[in-house]
Amino acid sequence: MSTLANQLVRAEKEELARAIRTLLGRPLVSAHDDPAAFDLVRKRRGPLIQWFDYFCGWRLVVEPRQGYARLVKVRSEPGATRPARRRRTTRAPFDRRRYTLLCLCAAELLTSPVTTIGMLAGRVAQAAAVEPGVPAFEPVRGEERAAFVDAVKLLEHYGALAAMDGVTDAYLDDEDAKVLYRVDTTRVIRLLAAPVPPSRVADTWRGGTEEEAPEVGSGLRGVAGGGWERGGAVVGERGGPPDALVVEARYGAGEPSETQRALHARHTLIRRLLDDPVVYRDELTPAQAAYAASLTGRRLLRRAAEEAGFVLEERAEGFLLVDPDGIATDSRFPDDGGHAKVAALLMLDLLVTSGPVSAARLDEEAAELLRRFPQWAKAYQSDGGGPRLAADALEVLIRFGLARRTGDRVAALPAAARYRVDRAAVQEEC
């Protein structure tokens, strides 16, 4: 093979790897927001579709004319580590009310290509009034309008809505604000990533039997019903052998064969490696552990990592995928961008050097940190600030797979050994 041909092959592999990591970091890539990234995904869409289907069982939809690509990611089990966040200054996670309004807004937007904020609010109020288990929407209340605006702004962020006249924030202070929107109904539909359609999930009524539950709502409006425990069945797949709905939707009807079980183990294991900062062997299901230990499984894990441009670290305790360029990284640690992450690094040093400690000890350490640096972390410089900072820092460590809490004891996990605190740098930062 000529030198030019080798260079072309190498360039194709590098582009494919970059596109894979781009979609992992941003499952919805828009030509409007990032033309270069979308052009890369569009250019390599064939190999990308094959890669995600083969290694993860995820579906990739690329719409060149409409200018977006959507990676339909589903997890092996539902998780709350990556919540939707408000697009306003606080960037706080969505609460239950905002998720409910988001689903109702998305369902109502499917009815018309053009709407106004007042018309949308009215339709959401009507839907909430007739949907069992959903609290009434009262736009006369400021907190209700704020939750509604957060839902609408998230839809704008994803390109499902575009303001043609006016700004959404105007609705915060004025229920009669005039905002005109253009609706991309196709993109609204693409937002829901679920292996099982909501309309096919049997309801389990909280406090009653399945026979006492009302009929399943259709589509996104049905997901908003707060009285059903349908979340796990809609948005995730179980880590063990596939349940009947998932088998039928993904692997074919009937009792899964050994080949199907192996395929499910591969998909769920690689999904976890791509989604989670670190995966420990003691957290794997028996099927995943057996697959990871097999010759075929180890070969495919290494191949998946290489083709995506990751470095696979395989140790006795577990697995870690490292992205040298940080393209697939949606949250970083260490990171001085948040007070909780700075405190988490200091607490991690304590956990590594002193072994398992009590939660009360972490509270004391956080309170002492606030006393030493009174001009730092102003949001925590109040009564009860130490325990709040300790709780937020511990949440960071747990989310990154660096610590585990059992009862009242907190212990560092093996991946914590990768980090070492530069106390001079921390003191300078504080």
Side-chain angles (χ1 to χ4, degrees):
M1 186 179 291
S2 66
T3 303
L4 177 59
N6 285 330
Q7 291 175 346
L8 290 174
V9 170
R10 189 181 307 113
E12 290 178 0
K13 289 183 177 179
E14 290 174 354
E15 287 182 352
L16 178 62
R18 187 175 188 86
I20 290 170
R21 286 176 287 149
T22 297
L23 287 165
L24 290 171
R26 289 178 291 159
L28 180 61
V29 177
S30 172
H32 180 268
D33 298 328
D34 193 338
F38 175 74
D39 187 60
L40 178 61
V41 172
R42 178 196 55 79
K43 180 180 177 183
R44 299 297 176 194
R45 63 183 180 275
L48 284 170
I49 290 172
Q50 294 175 6
W51 192 93
F52 282 112
D53 179 69
Y54 181 77
F55 287 110
C56 311
W58 286 340
R59 184 164 56 95
L60 174 63
V61 178
V62 182
E63 298 286 357
R65 293 186 179 181
Q66 296 180 348
Y68 71 88
R70 174 69 163 117
L71 176 61
V72 185
K73 294 175 63 178
V74 292
R75 291 178 58 86
S76 301
E77 56 278 324
T81 57
R82 294 175 177 86
R85 294 190 176 273
R86 306 172 200 183
R87 303 303 302 174
R88 293 186 286 158
T89 54
T90 62
R91 298 287 294 164
F94 266 37
D95 53 21
R96 186 183 186 91
R97 184 57 172 163
R98 283 167 171 79
Y99 278 121
T100 299
L101 292 176
L102 175 65
C103 292
L104 291 175
C105 284
E108 297 306 322
L109 287 175
L110 297 176
T111 62
S112 175
V114 178
T115 190
T116 67
I117 198 166
M119 291 173 60
L120 179 59
R123 293 184 65 88
V124 167
Q126 292 175 5
V130 300
E131 191 70 26
V134 177
F137 174 55
E138 302 174 352
V140 295
R141 297 167 51 195
E143 62 270 23
E144 285 280 83
R145 291 199 305 275
F148 177 76
V149 164
D150 287 332
V152 172
K153 287 179 72 71
L154 187 65
L155 290 168
E156 284 188 273
H157 171 67
Y158 288 133
L161 273 179
M164 302 169 64
D165 186 25
V167 292
T168 303
D169 284 332
Y171 194 71
L172 288 169
D173 301 318
D174 184 5
E175 185 185 351
D176 297 320
K178 308 297 182 185
V179 188
L180 178 66
Y181 297 105
R182 181 178 64 251
V183 183
D184 186 338
T185 54
T186 302
R187 195 172 301 202
V188 173
I189 295 172
R190 297 293 188 202
L191 292 181
L192 182 63
V196 181
S199 58
R200 296 188 59 200
V201 177
D203 295 329
T204 302
W205 183 252
R206 214 179 271 150
T209 65
E210 206 168 294
E211 289 73 23
E212 295 169 340
E215 281 189 12
V216 181
S218 61
L220 284 161
R221 191 188 300 173
V223 178
W228 298 286
E229 295 287 359
R230 63 160 64 93
V234 173
V235 301
E237 297 175 347
R238 291 172 175 82
D243 67 338
L245 281 173
V246 172
V247 169
E248 184 178 350
R250 174 66 194 163
Y251 304 104
E255 181 68 21
S257 64
E258 287 303 316
T259 301
Q260 290 169 335
R261 291 176 184 274
L263 184 61
H264 188 257
R266 179 210 304 168
H267 287 168
T268 55
L269 176 58
I270 294 181
R271 288 176 189 176
R272 293 191 63 178
L273 287 171
L274 295 175
D275 260 351
D276 298 336
V278 60
V279 176
Y280 294 102
R281 293 183 189 272
D282 62 2
E283 297 174 342
L284 299 177
T285 66
Q288 292 169 344
Y291 186 82
S294 68
L295 291 177
T296 300
R298 295 174 66 183
R299 176 176 58 82
L300 288 178
L301 288 180
R302 292 167 183 168
R303 177 181 156 193
E306 179 184 357
E307 292 182 2
F310 289 104
V311 175
L312 174 64
E313 292 189 9
E314 183 177 356
R315 301 181 184 276
E317 300 86 2
F319 306 88
L320 178 68
L321 284 179
V322 180
D323 181 2
D325 303 314
I327 298 171
T329 304
D330 60 346
S331 183
R332 299 176 183 273
F333 184 83
D335 183 5
D336 59 6
H339 299 132
K341 288 187 176 180
V342 174
L345 187 59
L346 292 170
M347 291 184 183
L348 186 62
D349 190 50
L350 171 67
L351 292 173
V352 171
T353 57
S354 302
V357 301
S358 67
R361 173 75 183 280
L362 295 182
D363 292 346
E364 294 171 1
E365 290 292 323
E368 175 61 25
L369 185 63
L370 293 172
R371 282 193 293 269
R372 288 173 55 200
F373 304 102
Q375 300 304 314
W376 175 75
K378 295 287 184 67
Y380 296 97
Q381 295 285 355
S382 61
D383 291 341
R388 286 191 292 112
L389 179 59
D392 291 347
L394 181 56
E395 181 183 348
V396 170
L397 295 177
I398 293 173
R399 187 169 72 245
F400 279 90
L402 301 173
R404 182 179 294 163
R405 179 169 183 169
T406 305
D408 189 51
R409 307 292 290 177
V410 181
L413 292 177
R418 297 171 56 88
Y419 302 93
R420 183 178 59 186
V421 176
D422 184 344
R423 292 193 173 272
V426 171
Q427 185 162 351
E428 181 181 347
E429 170 63 25
C430 294

